[in-house]
Amino acid sequence: MTKPVSETEYRELTDFLYHEAELLSDQDYPAWGKMLADDLHYVIPVPQFMDPTGAREIGIGNGYFDDDIHSMRIRLQLLSSPQTTTAENVRSLLNHVVTNVRVSQAGDNEYRCNSCITVHRTRFNKKDPTIISGRRNDLIRRTDSGFQLVSREVKLNQSVLMSSNVSYFF
Amino acid sequence: MLVKENLGPADFERLVDEENATASRLIFTDQSIFELEQEKLFTKAWLYIGHETEIPDEGDYVTRQMATDPVILSRGAHGKIHVLLNSCSHRGTLLCTSDVGSTKGFVCAYHGWVFGLDGSLKATADDMDLYAGKVDFKNLDLKTAARVDTYAGLIFATWDDGAPDLADYLGDARWYLDLFHNRTPEGMEVLGAPHRWVVNTNWKLGAMNFGADGPHAVKVHGPITAATFQVPPTVFRDALVESPAVSMGNGHNGIVTQVPDSLKDQIPPYFGFNPDLMEVYEKHLNPQQNELNRHLIAGVTTMFPNFSSVQGASTFEMDKMPVNFLAIRVWQPVSATQTEIWNWFLVEKEASDEWKQASMLAGVRTFTAGGTFDQDDAEAWVGIAKGIEGNIARQGDVNFQMALAYRDRTIPGFPGPGKVYPSNYGEVTEFDILLEWQKYMKA
Ligand code: FES
Ligand SMILES: [Fe+2]
């Protein structure tokens, strides 16, 4: 059973998600980085088309992304300057659309947030946008300095990424 | 869009200029050349299909591509490996629609024909009697690859009955494959499902980059190398300039980047390798192979035509020891200007669960669509496709002329076989992939 939250809490959490989406679209990684918890786990599994009658998994699993705070900080550092990224020099035009937000209490100071994310991305060399969407399962913590993202799992709706690289976040 | 139709040997002789170490830009953009490649190259060469550990048990299957053709890789009775065209022999419906699974056979979604794990037609939906003896069902088994064989857990197949044995096709490259795939008694296993992503560029650019492009590394990967190893770009460059590149024969090429002499007292042997297995490596490989692995920083290879592998060590925490990852990939041709990359991560079966996890993380954070190395490469390759597509641009060449400085400078006394050149910067081995390509296209 999920514990419901108050209207104020719902409002606070959706504000956090929208604010975060704006920073991701702006590629303001110094600011987004401050919203991440030290025990961050950011993971994007590989979707598979599988006949349920003969389903089986191979190996221990290897997601498209599997980051802790250390690897995430290095990603953000590199993507923050045109001197240190080829993929985002020049920068993509990004639009993060957050919808279908549901919030429940997950612990004393923590919330489970489920949402849909759709990222529209346009590159200088690919002017029709690449659109990838996913279903996010977040754990968000209330701290003295505001909310922090503790974990995020993104279930993408593309098993073959129709994109030459993923140099941005969901 | 090509200047001329019906390209013949003389045209391919011109399109790759061995003497001058250049190639026409058309071979990366032209759709009629792409179609000819499908016919002359991808139906002849041995192509990588999958890893034995992806189909460990009878009934296991995965669906794959052999260039533009979908295939099923299955394990049938007595552990036999089969590669079947994934197209029903009745009307051609895609037979198997799962990426991975386990089954007793394949049932077509359209009229319900049933095929065994070896591709044999077991039954048609309606009583076979309705065909009144007019049809020989023997001819309606699924088409299978002409030959299927493995080396060190790697499964290859070819459509060509007349192809050489896989062992001969790989030839001296087996010595180098051993460094990565055959260094422990149990061998390697895959860590998970393949990563797949689509890059709008020609497949040969990826194959060449892994065959391997030394000079791009400092420009494109200098920042991530500096951030994760705190190696200044000059040291990174010197290691590449002074490390060997190898033409293994039959178009198989690569680089084996070594710890520079100046750093040998700071960087211990088997840097990034699994410390629990060091003694196992020493026993399992021969002394010459161990000599190379002991000071290996990175190994990047392409087995002709489109199977590549990269090993390197990475850490994202300065106080933690770097851990090796091994990625293998196929550059699947989709069109002249589109490639689907399939990418797997492997680790020694003998490794501990902790090591497997650490090696997986080292891989997915570096060499995949979102990897801190790959994301930047892809941008450059798409840039090439865009840069050379125009009417004026496509009349020019792609340049590999560092080869002019290096191609006559093979190193004598190198521990491994093949033609060995003194520098990752040489462009000789990258260009050798195009010379092999030219042989197939002229044939
Ligand atoms: S197309 Fe497969 S049974 Fe008819
Ligand atoms: Fe690269």
Side-chain angles (χ1 to χ4, degrees):
Chain A
M1 275 303 283
T2 52
K3 279 202 229 132
V5 295
S6 69
E7 244 171 76
T8 313
E9 286 170 309
Y10 182 79
R11 171 66 199 271
E12 287 175 321
L13 267 306
T14 47
D15 266 355
F16 173 78
L17 293 178
Y18 294 153
H19 183 202
E20 195 211 354
E22 187 175 290
L23 295 175
L24 286 174
S25 294
D26 288 343
Q27 304 195 44
D28 185 348
Y29 295 126
W32 189 62
K34 292 198 185 103
M35 295 175 143
L36 305 176
D38 282 342
D39 50 344
L40 174 77
H41 189 203
Y42 176 91
V43 60
I44 303 184
V46 179
Q48 292 274 277
F49 289 104
M50 259 197 253
D51 174 355
T53 58
R56 75 190 164 89
E57 301 290 338
I58 293 174
I60 60 173
N62 43 215
Y64 281 117
F65 278 76
D66 196 330
D67 282 288
D68 58 19
I69 193 68
H70 304 288
S71 57
M72 184 58 88
R73 286 208 197 292
I74 286 179
R75 286 181 184 280
L76 301 186
Q77 174 199 324
L78 294 177
L79 288 170
S80 292
S81 159
Q83 302 303 315
T84 51
T85 172
T86 306
E88 290 295 332
N89 183 22
V90 293
R91 284 187 162 177
S92 303
L93 299 176
L94 291 170
N95 196 8
H96 288 67
V97 181
V98 181
T99 59
N100 304 44
V101 180
R102 296 179 71 225
V103 179
S104 61
Q105 190 87 38
D108 281 350
N109 291 308
E110 291 182 344
Y111 299 89
R112 178 65 56 194
C113 290
N114 294 93
S115 60
C116 287
I117 181 82
T118 303
V119 182
H120 302 245
R121 179 198 194 199
T122 319
R123 296 286 300 143
F124 75 101
N125 56 17
K126 189 174 178 302
K127 300 211 168 68
D128 52 325
T130 300
I131 301 170
I132 304 182
S133 76
R135 292 160 64 182
R136 301 193 303 193
N137 182 0
D138 297 341
L139 188 66
I140 292 169
R141 182 179 296 147
R142 188 192 290 277
T143 73
D144 293 340
S145 53
F147 289 110
Q148 284 186 334
L149 181 65
V150 181
S151 71
R152 166 164 293 164
E153 182 193 40
V154 190
K155 288 187 176 154
L156 297 182
N157 75 337
Q158 289 188 358
S159 72
V160 181
L161 303 176
M162 298 304 287
S163 181
S164 47
N165 51 19
V166 185
S167 46
Y168 57 94
F169 304 95
F170 288 90
Chain B
M1 225 185 338
L2 183 70
V3 218
K4 184 176 166 223
E5 305 228 321
N6 305 320
L7 288 161
D11 298 297
F12 286 104
E13 183 65 37
R14 266 190 306 107
L15 287 167
V16 179
D17 184 342
E18 177 167 13
E19 187 52 36
N20 204 34
T22 55
S24 163
R25 293 176 170 188
L26 288 171
I27 71 171
F28 303 102
T29 55
D30 187 85
Q31 190 60 22
S32 56
I33 292 179
F34 177 88
E35 300 298 339
L36 276 173
E37 277 176 350
Q38 293 306 304
E39 197 180 307
K40 290 175 162 286
L41 173 60
F42 288 102
T43 55
K44 297 276 189 276
W46 282 92
L47 305 177
Y48 182 73
I49 311 295
H51 199 267
E52 288 210 47
T53 58
E54 292 182 278
I55 48 163
D57 300 316
E58 183 175 330
D60 288 350
Y61 69 86
V62 289
T63 46
R64 291 293 142 90
Q65 289 289 130
M66 283 175 78
T68 47
D69 286 300
V71 295
I72 303 168
L73 171 66
S74 66
R75 195 179 285 274
H78 315 296
K80 191 159 192 279
I81 296 168
H82 303 278
V83 175
L84 321 169
L85 188 65
N86 190 3
S87 171
C88 180
S89 54
H90 183 219
R91 304 274 180 84
T93 307
L94 198 65
L95 188 61
C96 181
T97 53
S98 287
D99 293 322
V100 52
S102 194
T103 186
K104 289 198 161 54
F106 304 100
V107 183
C108 182
Y110 200 2
H111 312 91
W113 285 22
V114 180
F115 300 88
L117 292 160
D118 61 354
S120 58
L121 177 64
K122 299 292 183 200
T124 58
D126 296 311
D127 198 318
M128 281 173 160
D129 291 349
L130 294 179
Y131 282 91
K134 300 274 185 203
V135 174
D136 185 359
F137 292 105
K138 284 269 175 309
N139 299 329
L140 288 166
D141 290 346
L142 292 180
K143 182 171 175 59
T144 57
R147 319 219 11 220
V148 180
D149 204 353
T150 68
Y151 186 77
L154 307 165
I155 304 168
F156 295 83
T158 173
W159 298 113
D160 183 16
D161 284 310
D165 288 347
L166 179 65
D168 296 328
Y169 180 86
L170 293 173
D172 283 341
R174 288 173 298 171
W175 193 94
Y176 293 94
L177 282 172
D178 286 347
L179 302 177
F180 311 111
H181 295 280
N182 202 12
R183 59 196 180 205
T184 63
E186 301 270 303
M188 306 300 277
E189 66 183 26
V190 293
L191 283 162
H195 289 192
R196 296 163 65 182
W197 68 103
V198 170
V199 182
N200 289 331
T201 204
N202 187 273
W203 67 273
K204 292 191 286 300
L205 291 170
M208 289 191 310
N209 178 276
F210 274 57
D213 186 327
H216 89 290
V218 173
K219 172 71 179 77
V220 177
H221 308 307
I224 179 64
T225 311
T228 51
F229 286 124
Q230 306 194 319
V231 177
T234 51
V235 175
F236 187 32
R237 180 184 173 277
D238 289 350
L240 293 162
V241 169
E242 290 163 23
S243 286
V246 189
S247 263
M248 307 165 208
N250 296 349
H252 313 312
N253 285 277
I255 55 173
V256 276
T257 308
Q258 300 280 296
V259 176
D261 284 337
S262 60
L263 291 177
K264 279 205 173 117
D265 49 345
Q266 291 170 53
I267 298 180
Y270 290 111
F271 177 76
F273 281 81
N274 187 337
D276 299 344
L277 296 175
M278 276 181 215
E279 284 172 25
V280 181
Y281 302 140
E282 288 279 340
K283 273 194 211 130
H284 196 70
L285 291 175
N286 68 40
Q288 290 76 22
Q289 290 172 316
N290 286 323
E291 192 183 327
L292 216 54
N293 262 357
R294 229 171 273 144
H295 300 293
L296 192 75
I297 308 177
V300 194
T301 61
T302 289
M303 299 295 135
F304 191 81
N306 63 337
F307 173 59
S308 295
S309 114
V310 53
Q311 173 178 294
S314 89
T315 180
F316 287 79
E317 282 175 79
M318 286 317 129
D319 54 344
K320 290 215 174 133
M321 278 300 286
V323 171
N324 266 352
F325 63 87
L326 175 63
I328 59 174
R329 65 175 53 171
V330 176
W331 313 96
Q332 290 292 3
V334 178
S335 75
T337 53
Q338 194 168 77
T339 303
E340 184 176 319
I341 303 175
W342 292 59
N343 190 62
W344 297 258
F345 300 101
L346 281 76
V347 73
E348 291 93 347
K349 279 186 196 161
E350 290 93 335
S352 66
D353 291 348
E354 288 90 336
W355 184 269
K356 286 178 184 175
Q357 176 74 13
S359 180
M360 181 274 285
L361 293 176
V364 301
R365 291 170 182 177
T366 51
F367 275 88
T368 177
T372 46
F373 281 74
D374 256 309
Q375 59 178 245
D376 293 324
D377 284 310
E379 198 64 22
W381 300 334
V382 173
I384 291 177
K386 283 283 164 194
I388 67 179
E389 71 184 349
N391 175 50
I392 297 297
R394 71 185 175 185
Q395 295 174 34
D397 289 332
V398 178
N399 182 298
F400 299 89
Q401 288 183 316
M402 191 89 81
L404 301 182
Y406 280 97
R407 65 186 174 194
D408 298 323
R409 292 171 55 194
T410 50
I411 318 178
F414 188 74
K419 284 190 193 146
V420 185
Y421 302 91
S423 177
N424 288 186
Y425 265 61
E427 295 187 331
V428 185
T429 60
E430 261 194 292
F431 188 59
D432 186 67
I433 294 172
L434 291 185
L435 294 177
E436 188 70 15
W437 176 87
Q438 185 182 43
K439 282 185 206 159
Y440 279 82
M441 300 306 286
K442 274 163 66 179

